[in-house]
Amino acid sequence: MPNKAERYLILYLPWVLSVMCNSIPAVSYLVAWVGSLFIFYICYSGHLKPMPADRNITEQIMRPVFLVQVIFIGYMACSSIFYFFNLLGFGNLDQTGDLFDMAEEKIPLLAQCQRYYVLGHAAFVTGMLWFMKYPIEQKYTYDSDRLANLLFLVAIFCLPLTVLSTKIPGLTQFYFQFSSLSFISGTLALAFAIPLKKIGYTAICGFLYLTNFYQALTSGFKEPIIISVLVLGIFLYPSYKAVVNLVFIPVLILLFMYLPTYNQVFRQNAWADNVSSDEAYELALDATLNPDEEISNWGFLVFRLSEVDMFTNFIQSTPDKVDYYGLQLVGQSAMAVIPRIFWPGKPITEDLIMERVYDAGVILRGSNVSAKPAYIVDGYLSGGVIGIFISLFIYGAAVQLISQKAEQLFGGYILGTALIFCGLFQIFWRGSSFEFIANSVFWSYITMLLVHKIFVWTNFLKPI
């Protein structure tokens, strides 16, 4: 189906309708929020472009149109609903009424942010679908009988590389790439091992997976824990649909219910009280299994699951108090890519990012808090509505083109998208500030090319 720009205009209908309703903020918010659901429907219905037909849907979930869109857009645009309920005076879905005084001021700001979210969603899907082209013209092939062993070797080989990258100057750029590649390859190896019913091989792969899962539990972050369960479920789904539906979906729901408490207690002990990770893990697990009434997940759902509260602060300051940044953030992103070993005096990336946080008054200068703006916020800070459209269009195009390039270089979906793209470009799943995105994507792309050369050199990949 040829690309025609006018076909994509329907994606922007929710944004237009929400702008037309801006005089009634609550209605404008709901129109924009439901609008993202509409965009999901339009995308997956195939009205704009048919979904890839070279594989069954369950066997291509890791492709950007499915996984990246659901996670990135779900986190960005759909999670604000709890914040909206909170402004209406609901806490834990019980009407409290103590926040109605805030609603008059906050709901218009929330509605404005949600309009930006649905615009960003439309731009993201436009960029992604515009460049989506399947099936991929393959340039390399491999012996599928060797695939399970390769995945296992990659997982094992990347473990010491992860450690070395933190010890050797100049290799820190590759730490997250090696770490996530080891995790994804180990998880994929386990998913391949279970159907083969080889007890020893499955046990080793299971040990690798559990090791990664424990590291996720003691990292202090929620995302690695959820991702470790989600990815295994996705990989196993084609072979064990019933088991995944009965086990993994309830487990993910339970994680969303109890992880906020676990994570809060873990951080309080491991980060604030200088307790070891193992002790903090035990304390957090005990607090989660025996919850204190004072610890509530509602605060997580309102203020941590979504970053919309921070976004409202930015739109209050820009452009009224702080002018748009134009191409400044793009320039800083280019600087972030340069390794410090080549530029010892390079400004610290996080300090550059935090400057716009301080300027906007999101947190006070000198506070021991990190509050990095989300990708769409940086798009807004760069140029308002136009900045959001351009940045999210580029985001959608980038995830699609890189995934397709990976499939082309690595002989198809399993190695290309499931292993390489999801292992090296995991930052696309949630997004981050411009500088971190640019640095991670650039060096992940370099890593992808290096891994490709190694696979060709070892004769695993063969030119067609």
Side-chain angles (χ1 to χ4, degrees):
M1 182 183 296
N3 281 327
K4 293 183 179 179
E6 61 270 17
R7 295 179 59 86
Y8 293 87
L9 293 178
I10 191 173
L11 294 172
Y12 299 87
L13 181 60
W15 175 63
V16 173
L17 292 176
S18 64
V19 171
M20 293 173 63
C21 297
N22 67 348
S23 60
I24 312 175
V27 174
S28 180
Y29 168 83
L30 290 172
V31 169
W33 190 84
V34 173
S36 277
L37 304 183
F38 171 78
I39 293 174
F40 277 120
Y41 167 74
I42 291 295
C43 177
Y44 294 133
S45 67
H47 289 320
L48 293 177
K49 181 174 284 190
M51 291 296 98
D54 56 328
R55 304 177 69 90
N56 294 330
I57 295 297
T58 58
E59 296 175 351
Q60 57 172 314
I61 295 176
M62 307 297 282
R63 278 176 170 161
V65 70
F66 299 109
L67 189 66
V68 176
Q69 181 180 195
V70 169
I71 295 179
F72 177 67
I73 298 298
Y75 174 75
M76 179 186 80
C78 299
S79 58
S80 64
I81 191 68
F82 300 103
Y83 188 85
F84 177 68
F85 283 145
N86 206 57
L87 290 181
L88 293 181
F90 289 84
N92 289 318
L93 298 182
D94 296 322
Q95 188 169 356
T96 60
D98 58 351
L99 293 176
F100 278 110
D101 293 339
M102 296 175 57
E104 185 175 353
E105 174 189 354
K106 283 286 190 177
I107 288 183
L109 293 172
L110 171 62
Q112 185 177 353
C113 290
Q114 198 65 37
R115 291 195 293 270
Y116 292 148
Y117 285 148
V118 76
L119 171 63
H121 188 181
F124 170 85
V125 171
T126 302
M128 182 173 57
L129 294 186
W130 188 273
F131 292 98
M132 188 174 74
K133 184 180 179 180
Y134 295 101
I136 304 297
E137 181 183 355
Q138 302 297 329
K139 292 187 176 182
Y140 295 87
T141 188
Y142 58 86
D143 182 359
S144 58
D145 293 335
R146 300 172 58 193
L147 181 58
N149 290 333
L150 174 73
L151 294 169
F152 177 74
L153 290 174
V154 171
I156 295 295
F157 186 69
C158 285
L159 281 175
L161 288 180
T162 302
V163 177
L164 286 174
S165 63
T166 63
K167 306 295 183 181
I168 301 176
L171 287 183
T172 53
Q173 299 277 33
F174 297 95
Y175 168 76
F176 291 105
Q177 285 86 338
F178 290 141
S179 177
S180 59
L181 191 60
S182 174
F183 162 67
I184 291 291
S185 57
T187 305
L188 193 53
L190 177 60
F192 269 79
I194 292 174
L196 293 175
K197 298 180 180 179
K198 294 182 178 180
I199 297 177
Y201 185 69
T202 303
I204 296 174
C205 293
F207 175 77
L208 281 175
Y209 177 81
L210 292 175
T211 300
N212 280 317
F213 188 77
Y214 181 75
Q215 289 178 345
L217 282 173
T218 55
S219 68
F221 298 97
K222 301 174 292 296
E223 291 80 5
I225 303 171
I226 295 173
I227 288 174
S228 63
V229 176
L230 176 67
V231 169
L232 182 60
I234 289 173
F235 286 156
L236 288 176
Y237 189 77
S239 301
Y240 301 97
K241 294 181 177 64
V243 173
V244 171
N245 288 331
L246 290 174
V247 176
F248 281 85
I249 292 177
V251 167
L252 285 171
I253 293 174
L254 290 173
L255 285 175
F256 275 103
M257 291 174 58
Y258 293 103
L259 261 184
T261 300
Y262 171 87
N263 206 57
Q264 179 181 343
V265 175
F266 181 90
R267 288 187 176 189
Q268 286 175 347
N269 288 279
W271 295 4
D273 297 336
N274 296 318
V275 175
S276 70
S277 295
D278 291 338
E279 291 177 303
Y281 159 74
E282 293 175 1
L283 292 170
L285 188 61
D286 180 67
T288 304
L289 297 177
N290 303 284
D292 189 328
E293 292 184 0
E294 294 182 0
I295 300 177
S296 170
N297 290 339
W298 185 250
F300 164 79
L301 294 174
V302 173
F303 295 106
R304 298 298 299 275
L305 181 63
S306 171
E307 296 183 345
V308 70
D309 185 62
M310 188 192 304
F311 198 179
T312 62
N313 292 324
F314 279 107
I315 66 174
Q316 282 180 290
S317 64
T318 302
D320 292 340
K321 300 175 183 177
V322 179
D323 198 8
Y324 292 122
Y325 287 83
L327 295 177
Q328 179 181 335
L329 305 188
V330 176
Q332 291 178 180
S333 300
M335 290 168 49
V337 168
I338 303 172
R340 192 169 298 277
I341 193 172
F342 299 126
W343 185 6
K346 185 180 77 169
I348 298 174
T349 301
E350 181 148 352
D351 289 348
L352 292 175
I353 295 172
M354 290 303 295
E355 277 302 311
R356 53 188 181 269
V357 178
Y358 297 140
D359 291 343
V362 175
I363 60 174
L364 296 177
R365 192 178 295 273
S367 300
N368 189 24
V369 178
S370 179
K372 295 178 286 294
Y375 183 86
I376 191 171
V377 174
D378 276 351
Y380 170 79
L381 294 177
S382 296
V385 169
I386 299 299
I388 289 174
F389 173 79
I390 294 175
S391 60
L392 269 297
F393 179 88
I394 292 173
Y395 198 100
V399 297
Q400 188 59 45
L401 290 172
I402 292 173
S403 174
Q404 291 177 178
K405 184 65 174 180
E407 290 198 22
Q408 186 180 68
L409 290 177
F410 290 88
Y413 170 80
I414 297 296
L415 282 183
T417 288
L419 175 64
I420 298 299
F421 178 75
C422 292
L424 295 179
F425 298 92
Q426 217 169 93
I427 195 169
F428 278 136
W429 292 10
R430 176 169 172 176
S432 187
S433 303
F434 276 10
E435 293 90 339
F436 285 136
I437 286 278
N439 180 69
S440 179
V441 170
F442 177 84
W443 288 106
S444 293
Y445 199 89
I446 297 298
T447 305
M448 178 178 72
L449 297 179
L450 291 174
V451 172
H452 169 73
K453 293 295 183 183
I454 292 172
F455 281 10
V456 172
W457 177 67
T458 55
N459 207 36
F460 180 82
L461 285 175
K462 300 176 182 179
I464 296 177

